[in-house]
Amino acid sequence: MILYICVTLITIFLAYMYCRPETALETGEVFGADSRARRFKAACLIAIFTILFLLSAFRINVGNDYGTYVEFMHRLYTDKYIADAGVPTEWGFNLLARVIYALSGGENYILVFAIYAFITILFFLMAIRDLSVDFGLSFLLFMTFGYYFQSFSTVRYYMALALALYAMKLVNERRWIPFVILVLLGSGFHKSLLVILPLYFLASFVWKKWGYAALLAAGVSCIFLKDIYMKILVKLYPSYEGTEYLAGSGFSWINIIRCAAVLALSIYCYHECVKDDRAGMFYFQLNIGALALYLFGSFLPIVSRIGYYLTVSHIVFVPMLVRSIKNVKIRRLVYAALIVVSIMYFALYLRKAYDDGVLVLPYKTFFFDDMVNTLSDVM
């Protein structure tokens, strides 16, 4: 836990140092030549990436699904399929594992996880750099809200989530062909990413009043058509059929309160950065969709996965809202409150880091620890 706290503090410090040249220009301070400022910013960004990448790449058996993926990759390598089920992972995951194992001449799962870490961290950082008006605050939210550390546990999904955040840049620029290509490629590693094709497209347009009414009607329909929606879910995820997973619930007061708080802040800042701002309106409607999903679709066990594709926009939307507050005292008060909430959220996450379903603690590295036996090893 101490390691995670130290990494978080160091990288957040570097993120705010990354913003230092821009702050110096805004306040009239002399920071140096433009080329020197660019080199300084690049050094901070590279340092952040290196620290986060090495911590993730050097781990072994850290994360709820680490051992499961090692087992899946072992089956792919040895072609030990079970009946007709095979492995429930997508073609991208399977292809990457086969290629790396073939090139390595053995079951080099550590390299596979390192590649996932590289792609995930790279796309998260590129998205934050390109989309956020305050890199430091966005990165703070990224770390304290658990996006980075949770990527240790749900590897495929968080790589897809990083791609989804980066895809928001393409949506804002109306680059639909690259957006579709990115989503299709990413769905080869986690097919849930396909859900952002309609969701992001719909959220990218300014809704009329009837659009919000239709969203409300769709939400209310969940109360009466729950069984039909569950059947559709089973069609999309046949591996869930007959499992206890379908009996779960995605209801979360934390997510509802979080979306409601962002909605309240965005309404307060509506005229400044939402009404006439394409990106602001896009994030605003993603948050409304997420709130509706958490309120009415909590019976769906995958609601959190769909919801995260919408709420990950908070990383860049919340700093945009805070920056747009004209009253300096209120802006500073909101900023301070946001930092306090982030610290509390991070503390709660670390308390659950040892729990089943998370298991990002204790941290283990292949320098000092060995992989435990998987299912194939004990059969």
Side-chain angles (χ1 to χ4, degrees), residues 9 27 30 32 35 45 61 76 105 114 145 166 171 173 180 198 212 218 249 262 268-269 281 287 304 355:
L9 291 175
T27 58
V30 178
S35 60
L45 202 58
N61 200 29
L76 292 167
F145 279 24
Y166 185 80
V171 172
E173 296 173 354
V180 172
Y212 292 105
S249 172
V262 173
Y268 178 78
C269 304
M281 181 60 72
N287 183 66
S304 61
D355 295 351

Side-chain angles (χ1 to χ4, degrees), residues 13-27 29-31 37 40-41 44 135-136:
F13 171 77
L14 288 170
Y16 277 92
M17 290 300 292
Y18 172 89
C19 301
R20 175 62 180 158
E22 296 174 358
T23 304
L25 289 174
E26 291 175 359
T27 58
E29 298 176 24
V30 178
F31 188 83
F40 178 81
K41 290 165 67 73
C44 291
F135 182 87

Side-chain angles (χ1 to χ4, degrees), residues 200-269:
Y200 284 13
F201 181 77
L202 291 173
S204 67
F205 296 96
V206 178
W207 296 355
K208 303 296 183 181
K209 291 182 179 180
W210 63 264
Y212 292 105
L215 178 64
L216 179 61
V220 174
S221 73
C222 292
I223 301 175
F224 305 100
L225 304 176
K226 180 168 62 175
D227 294 338
I228 294 177
Y229 292 147
M230 286 294 288
K231 290 180 180 179
I232 296 174
L233 172 64
V234 173
K235 291 290 184 181
L236 295 174
Y237 290 89
S239 59
Y240 290 170
E241 188 171 9
T243 66
E244 295 181 357
Y245 191 71
L246 287 179
S249 172
F251 187 81
S252 170
W253 277 114
I254 292 179
N255 286 326
I256 292 174
I257 294 173
R258 175 178 161 184
C259 290
V262 173
L263 177 61
L265 182 60
S266 59
I267 291 175
Y268 178 78
C269 304

